[in-house]
Amino acid sequence: MTDEQEQVAVTFESHDFALTPSPGEVILPKYGRKIHHDPQCGHLTDSPRLPRFPDPDRLLWRRLIDSGPSHDTSARTAFARNIGLLGGSGQPLISACSCVLRPISPRQAAALRPWPLDDAIRAFDRGLFDKRLNEMEATAEQIVRDFPWADWPTLPLERYALGQGDSAQTKPYCYLLEFGSKALGSIAGGSSTKHLIYQRSQDGSWWHDSRYADEEEAWAEVRAGIVEAVTAARAGRLADIDDIDAIRSGPALVAKTLRVYAPEAALAVYGNDPLRHFVQRLTGEPVPKLERFALQARLKELIDADERFAGWPYDLVVLFLYWWADPIRTQQIVKIAPGHGGALWDECRAGGYIAVGWDDVSDLRSYADRDDFKAAFAAAYTDEYNGNQSKVSAKANELWKLLGLRPGDLVVANNGTSEVLGVGRVTGDGYTWREDRAEYRHTVEVDWDESNGGRLDEPERSWATVTVKDVPAQLWSRIRQAKSAPVEDDSVTDPSDVALAAQPLDAGLQPLADALDRRGQAVLYGPPGTGKTYTALRFAVRWLGELSGGLSDLDPYADPGTPAFRRTLDALTRAGRLTTVTFHPSYGYEDFVEGFRPVSGGSGGLVLDRIDGVFKRVCQAAAADPGHPYLVIVDELNRGNLPKIFGELITLLEKDKRGHQVLLPLSQEQFTVPENVYLIGTMNTADRSIRTLDAAVRRRFAFLEQLPDSAPLQGCHVEQLHLADLLDALNQRIRTQLDREKQIGQAFFLPHGAPVDSVSALAAIVRDEILPLLQEYAYDDYSLLAAFLGEALVDLEAHALRDLSDEGLVNALYIELQVRSGAAD
């Protein structure tokens, strides 16, 4: 086996892999359809004297995966047959074993040396991109014909801006740039503010920079700014565009405009993060802090100076950069129900799409932004959902999610709560409004694979009443296990398996990872029951689990509450990578850093000895093991006296002070906090607001609010009571009567991580956990308690809670918080 140090990081279909380079030949297995690089690979059950296939330039693996997308087995089969790449049974080899390409997380990839540029250029087949190049050029030429450059100095606002009627029909410039020119790259996402000026369809008002008196003044400045930007680019002054104030807040639109009108002067890379990523990859050095178009100029300068790109058109360079070192590491996985009871499945499967309803709102691309769409959705569907604004908002979010699906994302088609009809990959333009359909006109193009169908081991209750829903890593693992067709072996590396093995962090965990990268320590704060500790532990299992190779009993994708989850926590704790503590009023500096403690003396008595505290021991272990992250989780952070506990270490927690030394007063030792030490605190705001924390502590932590989230309870009922409606309605009343910091979190209704599912269990939770908390909030004011729960539960005259049976209590909650709140269907 090639040494671990020789592995390099490569990107394929938006996923990271560790490549073990070929030794100059690949191994042809007797069984299976994957090439191998390691004769000792555990997936090779045959004789070590298996036939070899010559691989003199060590790039066969890349040519194989480039011969067709991983789901296009016919293209790969044709490539393998053409060169004679056949296994022992005569079957063409169409994929790579994990001893060639091992799926890894983005963090693991960052620790490896990138795939060398020279190797990538040798492997790059320009012919594979001829069609893309032609599409890019044709698209740009069409925009120029529709909007000649000579017209721009006097271009009227109605030909530019979104929001004026049906943009999908009138196709103003901004519509073409965002939705009608995908061949040139995407600037989709976010709000329409990136277009600098647009009209709100709900009331006809105009959005623009508030410094301008009206839309006409705003448009005159924006138009002049765009003309000035293109003129500067054509004159070789890209960096000067950063100083054009009128277009400063629309860099993506301006960058794509440069590709259309100044193609010889700018590259079709529109985001700041991709620009920085490519500059770093090409130089191998930290990227200086430059503004957007100065960074564009720097990338162009690097390309122009590199003889390896001599004669390449800029569009080809851009396609190569994304092929070689794609900065995109996101793949969404969503489940979408094809009609009630799967009624639309046959036509969706045959037509290559997934379709949903809500046809009273039209083409999603015709709305200026998410707020504009949600206003239209509320106007169309508030009555249907009985005025329940929480449900209206949730359903609007489901539909809007379709617009964000991109080629390569995965769609799970379901029927009910247990059956997976198929799994498909989003293709083409993704979202499409199909006017020709009689109903269910909101569609997404999908290439379906029915072999991934099957039944889940346990029903996913939340699927019962939700049409579109994210699929987290744990659920995706269960879906993969439910597939009806057997897999060939456990070394598959198609994108579906990659999504399981090295899927990006869930949306709920990514902000925490970003905060730790940025600050080194973060606090999860919010009302009780919002899953702060749960989130911290789930993050530890996923984040540390992926980055702690070599440890046994690790399953980064284990479901919370399962034995595998507990084993992973235990393994991380035993290895010292994870440490959990709880602060309380008597917790002090000597517990956390160092202090004198009584210990047994030689004569049987007690003597004082200096003992290292928890955090000091973690820092010492991390300093001796810089290749791995060490995480400390502090539960109930705000219950401790933080300035006293941290002492002089409060300075060393700052990101730019990591590695600096301070003198500890007791031991007189020089002490540092290593860069690979991270800290997560949890804080219950019902006990204490973050405003009361010491200012020095607040400045050194990132604070992430955890608010109640009814999404895990969507579709979950106890008898007739919908748990999501119960939570939303109760919290609406608490916010009205008290404040947001005293709401009730979803975790109360998720014992052991699963929604409560029986009348007796729900009644016990309400009586033993929720009612005492609400009584504490109400300070024995029973009129306030009745405002929360209704007089069917609260006896105002007796100043007591009514003695109801379990069934009576749940029915009272149903009537008060679902029927009377307008949430019942």
Side-chain angles (χ1 to χ4, degrees), residues 422-443:
V423 176
R425 179 186 305 279
V426 176
T427 61
D429 290 335
Y431 171 80
T432 303
W433 169 257
R434 296 178 185 254
E435 187 71 47
D436 57 323
R437 290 179 58 83
E439 58 180 349
Y440 294 90
R441 296 173 178 172
H442 297 284
T443 70

Side-chain angles (χ1 to χ4, degrees), residues 623-703:
D625 183 21
H628 292 98
Y630 282 68
L631 178 64
V632 178
I633 295 178
V634 179
D635 212 11
E636 304 285 359
L637 181 81
N638 53 320
R639 294 189 65 226
N641 184 334
L642 300 186
K644 177 183 176 183
I645 292 172
F646 286 109
E648 62 278 348
L649 297 192
I650 198 66
T651 298
L652 298 185
L653 288 178
E654 290 191 54
K655 195 71 171 176
D656 61 354
K657 302 295 192 303
R658 296 297 181 92
H660 290 202
Q661 294 185 337
V662 297
L663 184 67
L664 298 180
L666 293 181
S667 63
Q668 291 295 297
E669 295 176 357
Q670 293 291 339
F671 181 72
T672 66
V673 177
E675 292 186 358
N676 58 326
V677 171
Y678 301 88
L679 192 150
I680 297 173
T682 69
M683 179 174 166
N684 193 332
T685 53
D687 300 332
R688 183 182 181 188
S689 169
I690 64 172
R691 294 187 298 272
T692 64
L693 290 180
D694 180 79
V697 173
R698 288 204 310 270
R699 288 196 301 269
R700 287 165 171 82
F701 282 79
F703 286 84

Side-chain angles (χ1 to χ4, degrees), residues 809-825:
L809 186 151
V810 171
N811 188 60
L813 291 172
Y814 168 70
I815 294 172
E816 182 67 27
L817 293 172
Q818 190 166 331
V819 176
R820 291 180 180 169
S821 293
D825 293 330

Side-chain angles (χ1 to χ4, degrees), residues 121-327:
I121 289 177
R122 285 191 294 114
F124 185 62
D125 184 350
R126 300 188 192 190
L128 296 175
F129 295 88
D130 285 344
K131 181 179 178 181
R132 293 274 301 279
L133 288 171
N134 292 334
E135 289 174 347
M136 293 177 75
E137 188 60 33
T139 301
E141 289 175 355
Q142 184 61 54
I143 295 174
V144 172
R145 282 194 294 270
D146 292 342
F147 295 86
W149 180 242
D151 293 353
W152 268 90
T154 58
L155 189 74
L157 177 57
E158 58 267 22
R159 294 206 62 211
Y160 173 85
L162 289 171
Q164 307 167 90
D166 188 350
S167 296
Q169 293 295 323
T170 60
K171 292 183 171 56
Y173 181 76
C174 288
Y175 179 88
L176 287 181
L177 243 64
E178 181 159 7
F179 303 113
S181 55
K182 292 185 178 180
L184 296 177
S186 175
I187 60 169
S191 76
S192 288
T193 59
K194 64 173 171 285
H195 294 297
L196 300 166
I197 181 171
Y198 66 92
Q199 190 174 35
R200 300 182 180 96
S201 61
Q202 63 264 39
D203 60 9
S205 64
W206 285 89
W207 183 93
H208 53 75
D209 192 312
S210 58
R211 83 182 89 176
Y212 304 122
D214 55 34
E215 68 273 14
E216 291 301 330
E217 180 185 352
W219 171 231
E221 293 293 329
V222 167
R223 181 178 57 199
I226 292 174
V227 171
E228 184 181 352
V230 173
T231 302
R234 288 176 168 181
R237 297 183 288 105
L238 272 173
D240 289 355
I241 299 174
D242 291 317
D243 297 325
I244 305 175
D245 203 40
I247 57 174
R248 187 181 296 275
S249 59
L253 175 134
V254 173
K256 194 166 184 179
T257 297
L258 296 183
R259 165 58 190 86
V260 175
Y261 294 103
E264 300 301 320
L267 293 125
V269 181
Y270 309 132
N272 205 52
D273 289 340
L275 286 169
R276 297 183 66 85
H277 175 78
F278 292 141
V279 170
Q280 193 279 327
R281 280 297 182 92
L282 289 170
T283 63
E285 300 173 355
V287 181
K289 292 183 178 179
L290 299 172
E291 291 194 63
R292 176 72 63 89
F293 291 97
L295 204 52
Q296 267 268 12
R298 176 60 177 146
L299 179 59
K300 181 176 179 295
E301 178 184 273
L302 290 169
I303 297 301
D304 290 343
D306 195 323
E307 293 182 355
R308 290 169 293 190
F309 296 116
W312 291 36
Y314 283 149
D315 284 345
L316 183 62
V317 172
V318 169
L319 293 175
F320 168 80
L321 291 175
Y322 278 98
W323 172 88
W324 169 51
D326 192 347

